[in-house]
């Protein structure tokens, strides 16, 4: 139970005190009324004795009475109605609330540092982690109070309102004060009248109330004298007469009103009456000098009327003339449950009036401190000289009667009882005996005399004698089956045993249990049962038996248990709350049981109409349940708290409670969630109506995922129109790709560097049109005036019921600034439309149950400045049908567009607060948790900028590999500013071209040529078929000059400016990538404004083209030295072999490919003619066919930076390969290839720096060749029964003599040839191995040896001899054949050559095939060949028999003239020099 102000001993002593009746004359009552007090009220603060009192027990032993208190009440002869008692108790509880602002008392909850091994705690294992926290939170909570003054007030009032019954005498009057004024004409006669009135009330049968202890009641005569108005001499004479008549022990002269009521008003006199008169005041834990007074008035205090004459006073609308209790039995047959009117305690006004009266009306205004002392002295004199001697005498008389019966037999005793009682009720059956009215004793019955003596001893604190008498009476009552009497004796015996000083015997709790069961089950008297429970629980609590106390309290809280026709909700609520306090006060606190019973108490408080107490109980329980994962329990508690708070008009608390229900992940069904939501909206609406002009409240629904908020700057992308395809740019519909974003950033940095002459400005800020959680939001983003800012907010509805948001818009703050003038304007916070910022409003936004939905809200800035987007503002409602809220009738019916709902709608806001990325750079940031800024919602509105839109016309989605297609690009300036410096940058510049720099190099529209070709063509005559047609061009004309960035391409706008509203169409040639598959090609269009701005220097537009390429031709080429040295004076000719294979699949619809032209372009070489051309001069390749072409290449005569183009035409039309677009794509592919090989060689040589010897470099240079081949083709495609002609070109870059080159990357080429599956198998079979190489940083001192391939190209050798030679071996046995050996120096330096003819073939296979021969004459020659020199040697070969011989057995050694090292040239790559020797 909760802590109490009084100890249990003080509580019990104050609950049972001697009762004294007061009967006043009208004049005496008038004197006391001068002080706004009745006589009983006047003496009430002084009814506790301040000193010890002594009396002797029947054994003449001195007995000390400490802290004795008496109760003086007016006589009331009418019993109150149960409704009055019910209202009294309700009012007492309702006005007693926890004092606000007081520091909460710390509860005793055992040891907070709980040990997990304690077996008493193991039942609560899940609560270990936060057990201490929960207890400490309960202690320090504003809702929790260790004391419960409302319970103490209820208990006091309940015990005071107990009806006096015949089975016990504790509530019977012991004495009666007769009060008469000294100012009356005949005071003595007035005393006689009052005495007769008291005798009539006590002994007349017409009065059932009040009840008196003994027939001979003590009468005490009090003469009241008004000092300020009365004659003191007359008063003294009357008092002398009274002493002679009644004795000095039986009368008293009380002088009051020492000062007049009209003077001394400014003098402050203490008012000790207010605390007693204000029965419903809040009890505080203050200690009083007079001793432990309870603030709520004590037992038997008079509340109803001040004297017996004021019977017409109305109390709370109920007449004083109360009717009898409805359960009251006939007085003659059963008075045990009758209701004693004197015990009905009620103030004369309602609680509010009483509070007002007590605080507004002064009491004791005519009394001085001397009068206070006189009243205190009067009570002491009455008690010492009158009351206690009377009680002592009565105890002795009763004791003598009991002693006189000792030793008599049981039969005699029974006969005596029978004689005393007269005729007794006949014997009853067991069932009848167990009824409350089963047995009644007459007042003179010996058993009742024992009980009477026990009660008197108990009232004067003689607990040992009282226990003995109670114990004796209990046996007699049980023998007679008088269960009501027996239960009363058991109850008081238990209390007496507990109160005995020194505790000679333990508290007999089983006595109380038996009494409670008897009262409740047999006697059906819940009022007495409740008194037992209240007393026993307090005793058990004082002995720390909290578990037993809790069980006892809970036993009396059943829904069915009622008494006096009164509902049990208030009683059950109070007892459940006390049981909960018992659980928390245990040595091992049971926190969950505490919370559970507080919930039960709150429910019963609510049923009893005690809303504040119900709310308090639920709030205390909530502290235990929250955060434990018991969501349904939390929902129930929060819902109830919300309702109770709303009923009490605590709207903020109600909103908070309902908010908790909605924001937690609720497991409630949809219907329940709908109820929660409607109640929340209803409460919220009431809150907002109280302050309609206040700030918008924060709404809990729907959830907003702040980090998922995206911001987009600019207009929405325009959709495609017919043939026109708009640039993809960027939009909110696209998903963020980190890799793609990085590529766009690199492209922008590349073009910015080109524009700024290779340097990226320090203030460069990459353009970000869409900001999200992955983008870099550390800088303030830039937006352009008059262009919308779109904010995408991610809403999530956690409920199972749909939410409807209406009038949804952004909440923002704007600070206008003129960035050029550096002038700051005023800062204004606005929620809707303004001249500076226009806001889009979404009329309706429906979010279905448990749905995540994005809302895109726009702002239209009309002025430069700083914009801060704060949040969203909207009306929150539901689209539930016309459902009635529980107890609430929604009076607002809202109709919005297509949704009709009869629910509530409240306007509120939610802030967008985005947390930036966690910082993790410095040591301090790594060791702490710090977050960087996220400024995506704080854009800077800059000056007006041009805005470009790009449209692609006839842009293909599919191409053959190498196919050339012409399309058009339309550039439109949709802003009010002219744009300039238009450029496009791409990672794949070989994919497209806008043509050359001059109009001569760029062909006209396709219809200008014969076959609608995309190329520039010229009709040729038939004579020039086999020979090459020459032309030349510079790479600078095609934007691929030295030092330039081939990826950044200038767009040739007319006058380099695009005016506002203007548009221009430019041709664009496309070249299909050489690899098949799907290709994503990024274009970044860069442009600037003519005016330079401080914030934004340029703008970009993105486009991603998706091209699907399919297989076309596979082209491979090889170049090798020609052996035909006799045809030329010099050896500057080579053979070029081109293999072309049709690898196209029939799915593409390609019928056949025609090779229409082969062109070469090089600074040093050119194709001269085709070798072995077929007669029809037409190269057709059907599916999977392969063709081989052979060309002769010669060295160019001109030199310089210009490339020489040589076209060998196989048709009737020459494609000018030095013009656009053929040359464009050649130069683009050339630069891309060079860039790729350059990076690869850098990667290869980055680790080991190889220093090449000059000789090695010269030798390697001999094998290098700079010859590039372009194969141009046409493909005939059948599509929709129409034949289309497609054109294309493939590039092969030949770098090394004898090394095969491809028109596509080699690995991918194998994939194409083998097929993807075969290539994957090949890859799986050869696992990747990584070799770790360790090398020194310094370069190697030894020169790298040339490879055999490089050596074979240093000196070119050729043998000239007859293919067959006839000789007659019969005539001459030796055959001599002349052979000429030609040597050609292929290098650019002088070379020393040694020819050794002594080499023999040792291989047995070679001997077997070719036989053996011998060189005659000189076998070794030493020569020096000048640069590019050709030399011939005449040799003789000697054969001895016929056969086929290989003359290529000579060895050639060569070295540069100024070098020492000699290298052998290898002829492994040359054809065998076979000769046939015939015999004739």
């Amino acid at each position: 139970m909760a802590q109490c102000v009084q100890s249990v001993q003080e509580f019990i002593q104050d609950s049972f005190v001697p009762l004294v009746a007061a009967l006043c004359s009208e004049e005496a009552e008038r004197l006391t009324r001068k002080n706004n007090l009745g006589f009983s009220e006047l003496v009430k603060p002084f009814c506790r004795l301040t000193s010890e009192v002594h009396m002797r027990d029947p054994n003449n032993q001195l007995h000390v009475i400490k802290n004795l208190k008496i109760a003086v009440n007016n006589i009331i002869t009418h019993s109150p109605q149960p409704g009055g008692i019910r209202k009294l108790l309700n009012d007492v509880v309702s006005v007693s609330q926890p004092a606000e602002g007081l520091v909460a008392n710390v509860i005793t909850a055992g040891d907070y540092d709980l040990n997990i091994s304690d077996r008493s705690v193991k039942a609560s294992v899940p609560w270990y982690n936060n057990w201490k926290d929960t207890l400490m939170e309960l202690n320090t909570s504003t809702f929790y109070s260790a004391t419960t003054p409302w319970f103490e007030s209820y208990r006091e009032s309940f015990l005071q309102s107990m009806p006096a019954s015949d089975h016990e005498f504790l509530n019977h009057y012991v004495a009666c004060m007769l009060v008469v004024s000294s100012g009356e004409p005949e005071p003595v006669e007035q005393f006689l009248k009052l005495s007769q009135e008291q005798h009539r009330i006590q002994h007349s049968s017409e009065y059932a109330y009040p009840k008196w202890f003994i027939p001979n009641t003590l009468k005490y005569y009090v003469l009241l004298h008004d000092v300020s108005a009365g004659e003191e001499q007359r008063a003294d004479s009357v008092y002398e007469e009274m002493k002679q008549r009644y004795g000095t022990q039986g009368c008293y002269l009380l002088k009051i009103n020492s000062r007049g009521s009209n003077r001394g008003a400014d003098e402050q006199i203490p008012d000790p009456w207010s605390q007693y008169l204000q029965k419903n005041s809040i009890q505080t834990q203050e200690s009083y000098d007079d001793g432990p007074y309870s603030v709520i008035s004590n037992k038997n205090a008079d509340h109803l009327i001040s004297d017996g004459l004021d019977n017409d006073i109305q109390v709370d609308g109920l007449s004083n003339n109360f009717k009898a209790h409805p359960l009251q039995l006939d007085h003659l047959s059963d008075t045990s449950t009758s209701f004693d009117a004197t015990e009905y305690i009620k103030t004369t006004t309602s609680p509010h009036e009483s509070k007002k009266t007590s605080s507004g009306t002064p009491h004791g205004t005519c009394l001085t401190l001397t009068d206070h002392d006189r009243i205190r002295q009067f009570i002491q004199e009455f008690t010492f000289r009158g009351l206690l001697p009377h009680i002592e005498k009565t105890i002795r008389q009763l004791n003598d009667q009991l002693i006189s019966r000792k030793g008599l037999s049981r039969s005699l005793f029974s006969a005596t009882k029978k004689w005393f009682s007269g005729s007794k009720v006949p014997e009853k059956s067991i069932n009848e005996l167990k009824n409350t009215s089963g047995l009644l004793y007459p007042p003179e019955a010996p058993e009742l005399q024992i009980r009477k003596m026990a009660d008197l001893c108990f009232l004067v604190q003689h607990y040992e004698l009282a226990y003995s008498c109670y114990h004796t009476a209990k046996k007699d009552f049980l023998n007679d089956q008088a269960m009501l009497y027996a239960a009363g004796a058991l109850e008081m015996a238990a209390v007496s045993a507990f109160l005995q000083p020194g505790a000679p015997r333990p508290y007999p709790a089983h006595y109380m249990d038996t009494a409670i069961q008897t009262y409740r089950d047999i006697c059906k008297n819940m009022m007495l049962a409740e008194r037992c429970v209240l007393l026993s629980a307090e005793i058990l609590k004082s002995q720390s038996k909290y578990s037993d106390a809790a069980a006892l309290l809970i036993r009396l809280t059943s829904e069915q248990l009622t008494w006096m026709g009164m509902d049990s909700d208030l009683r059950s609520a109070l007892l459940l709350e006390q049981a909960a306090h018992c659980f928390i006060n245990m040595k091992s606190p049971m926190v969950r049981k505490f919370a559970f019973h507080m919930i039960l108490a709150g429910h019963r408080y609510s049923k009893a109409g005690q809303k504040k107490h119900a709310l308090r109980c639920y709030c205390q329980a909530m502290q235990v349940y929250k955060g434990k994962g018991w969501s349904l329990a939390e929902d129930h508690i929060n819902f109830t708290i919300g309702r109770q708070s709303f009923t009490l008009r605590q709207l903020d608390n109600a909103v908070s409670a309902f908010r908790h229900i909605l924001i937690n992940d609720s497991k409630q069904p949809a219907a329940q969630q709908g109820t929660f939501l409607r109640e929340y909206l209803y409460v919220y609406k009431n809150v907002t109506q109280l302050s309609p002009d206040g700030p918008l409240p924060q709404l809990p629904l729907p959830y907003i995922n702040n980090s998922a908020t995206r911001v987009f700057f600019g207009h929405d992308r325009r959709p495609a129109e017919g043939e026109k395809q708009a640039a993809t740019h960027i939009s909110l519909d696209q998903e963020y790709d980190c890799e793609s974003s990085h590529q766009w950033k690199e492209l922008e940095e590349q073009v910015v560097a080109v524009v700024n002459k290779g340097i990226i400005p320090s203030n460069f800020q990459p353009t970000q049109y869409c900001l999200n959680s992955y983008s870099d939001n550390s800088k303030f983003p830039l937006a352009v005036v008059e262009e919308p800012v779109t904010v995408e907010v991610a809403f999530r509805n956690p409920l199972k019921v749909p939410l409807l948001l209406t009038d949804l818009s952004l909440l923002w703050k704007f600070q206008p600034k003129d960035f050029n003038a550096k002038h700051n304007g005023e800062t204004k916070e606005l929620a809707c439309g303004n001249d500076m910022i226009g806001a889009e409003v979404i009329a309706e936004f429906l979010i279905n149950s448990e749905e995540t939905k994005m809302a895109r809200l726009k702002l239209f800035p009309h002025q430069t400045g700083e914009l801060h987007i704060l949040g969203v503002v909207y009306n929150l409602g539901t689209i539930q049908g016309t459902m009635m809220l529980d107890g609430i009738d929604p009076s607002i019916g809202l109709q919005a567009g297509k949704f009709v709902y009869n629910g509530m709608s409240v306007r509120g806001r939610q802030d967008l607060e985005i947390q930036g990325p966690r910082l993790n750079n410095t040591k301090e940031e790594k060791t702490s948790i710090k977050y960087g800024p996220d400024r995506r919602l704080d854009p800077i509105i800059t000056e007006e900028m041009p805005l470009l839109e790009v449209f692609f016309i006839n842009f293909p989605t599919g191409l053959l590999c190498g196919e050339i297609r012409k399309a058009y690009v339309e550039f439109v300036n949709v802003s009010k500013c002219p744009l300039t410096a238009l450029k496009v940058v791409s990672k794949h510049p070989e994919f497209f071209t806008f043509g050359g720099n001059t109009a001569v190099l760029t062909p006209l529209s396709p219809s200008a040529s014969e076959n609608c070709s995309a190329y520039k063509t010229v009709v040729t005559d038939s004579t020039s078929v086999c020979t090459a047609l020459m032309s030349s061009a510079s790479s600078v004309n095609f934007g691929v000059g030295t030092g330039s960035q081939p990826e950044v391409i200038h767009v040739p706008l007319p006058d380099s400016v695009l005016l506002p509203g203007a548009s221009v169409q430019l041709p664009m040639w496309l070249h299909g990538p050489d690899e098949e598959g799907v290709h994503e090609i990024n274009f970044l269009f860069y442009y600037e404004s003519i005016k330079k701005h401080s914030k934004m220097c340029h703008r970009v537009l993105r486009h991603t083209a998706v091209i699907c390429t399919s297989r076309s031709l596979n082209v491979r080429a090889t170049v090798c030295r020609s052996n035909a040295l006799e045809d030329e004076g010099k050896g500057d000719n080579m053979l070029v072999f081109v293999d072309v294979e049709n690898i196209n699949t029939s799915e593409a619809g390609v019928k056949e490919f025609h090779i229409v032209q082969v062109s070469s372009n090089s600074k040093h070489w050119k194709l001269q003619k085709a070798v072995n051309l077929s007669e029809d001069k037409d190269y057709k390749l059907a599916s999977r066919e392969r063709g081989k072409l052979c060309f002769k290449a010669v060295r160019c005569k001109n030199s310089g930076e210009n490339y020489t183009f040589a076209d060998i035409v196989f048709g009737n039309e020459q494609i000018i390969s030095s013009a656009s677009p053929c040359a464009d794509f050649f130069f683009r592919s050339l630069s891309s290839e060079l860039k790729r090989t350059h990076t690869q060689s850098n990667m290869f040589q980055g680790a080991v720096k190889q220093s090449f010897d000059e000789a090695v470099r010269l030798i390697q240079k001999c094998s290098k060749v700079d010859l590039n081949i372009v194969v141009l083709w046409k493909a005939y495609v059948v599509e929709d029964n129409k034949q289309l002609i497609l054109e294309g070109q493939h590039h092969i870059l030949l770098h090394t003599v004898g090394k095969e080159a491809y028109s596509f990357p080699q690995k991918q080429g194998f994939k194409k040839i083998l097929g993807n599956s075969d290539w994957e198998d090949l890859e799986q079979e050869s696992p990747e191995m990584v070799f770790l190489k360790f090398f020194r940083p310094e370069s190697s001192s030894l020169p790298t040896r040339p490879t055999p391939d490089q050596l074979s190209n240093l000196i070119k050798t050729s043998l000239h001899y007859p293919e067959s030679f006839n000789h007659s071996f019969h005539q001459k046995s030796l055959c001599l054949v002349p052979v000429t050996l030609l040597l050609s120096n292929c290098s650019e330096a002088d070379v020393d050559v040694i020819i050794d003819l002594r080499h023999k073939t040792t291989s047995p296979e070679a001997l077997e095939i070719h036989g053996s021969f011998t060189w005659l004459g000189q076998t070794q020659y030493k020569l020096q060949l000048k640069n590019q020199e050709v030399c011939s040697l005449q040799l003789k070969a000697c054969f001895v028999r016929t056969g086929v011989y290989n003359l290529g057995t000579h060895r050639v050694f060569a070295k540069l003239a100024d070098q020492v090292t000699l290298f052998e040239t290898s002829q492994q790559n040359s054809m065998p020099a076979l000769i046939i020797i015939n015999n004739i």
Side-chain angles (χ1 to χ4, degrees), residues 1067-1084:
M1068 172 190 268
W1069 287 269
L1070 307 174
H1071 179 230
D1074 291 327
E1075 300 176 27
E1076 71 162 322
V1078 178
H1079 302 268
E1080 280 193 1
I1081 297 166
N1082 294 332
F1083 299 87
L1084 186 75

Side-chain angles (χ1 to χ4, degrees), residues 326 386-387 441 863 938 1168:
L387 182 62
Y441 292 98
Q863 190 173 342
D938 303 313
Q1168 188 184 45

Side-chain angles (χ1 to χ4, degrees), residues 760-765 779 1094-1095 1097:
I760 298 178
S762 59
N763 62 345
F764 168 71
Q765 185 174 340
K779 297 180 181 177
S1094 59
K1095 291 288 183 184
C1097 301

Side-chain angles (χ1 to χ4, degrees), residues 837-851:
I837 304 287
E840 179 190 36
V841 178
I842 298 178
E844 290 175 348
F845 188 76
L846 178 68
I847 312 174
N848 290 318
S849 59
E850 298 179 334
E851 179 188 18

Side-chain angles (χ1 to χ4, degrees), residues 1402-1430:
T1402 57
S1403 168
E1405 293 86 359
L1407 286 175
E1408 192 176 319
I1409 296 171
H1410 304 301
S1412 178
F1413 71 97
T1414 303
W1415 293 103
L1416 298 180
Q1418 188 175 345
T1419 58
Q1420 193 176 56
Y1421 298 88
K1422 292 187 178 180
L1423 305 173
Q1424 186 176 56
L1425 298 180
K1426 301 294 184 183
N1427 177 12
Q1428 304 290 332
E1429 182 184 353
V1430 177

Side-chain angles (χ1 to χ4, degrees), residues 1214-1269:
Q1214 176 198 359
I1215 297 172
I1216 302 176
S1217 59
S1218 59
S1220 288
C1222 183
D1224 294 79
F1225 292 121
F1226 160 68
F1227 283 121
R1228 299 268 169 88
S1229 65
L1230 180 65
S1231 65
S1232 297
E1233 181 67 23
L1234 290 175
K1235 187 176 180 182
R1236 185 159 58 243
T1237 56
H1238 179 65
T1239 55
Q1240 287 175 355
S1241 65
N1242 282 348
M1243 287 170 62
F1244 179 70
Q1245 297 176 3
V1248 182
K1249 283 187 173 182
Q1250 300 195 5
S1251 121
F1252 286 95
D1253 190 82
E1254 184 67 26
V1256 176
R1257 279 202 298 274
L1258 285 171
I1259 292 170
Q1260 289 175 345
K1261 191 173 181 182
C1262 294
S1263 61
K1264 295 294 182 185
V1265 61
D1266 176 22
L1267 179 61
N1268 307 302
I1269 305 297

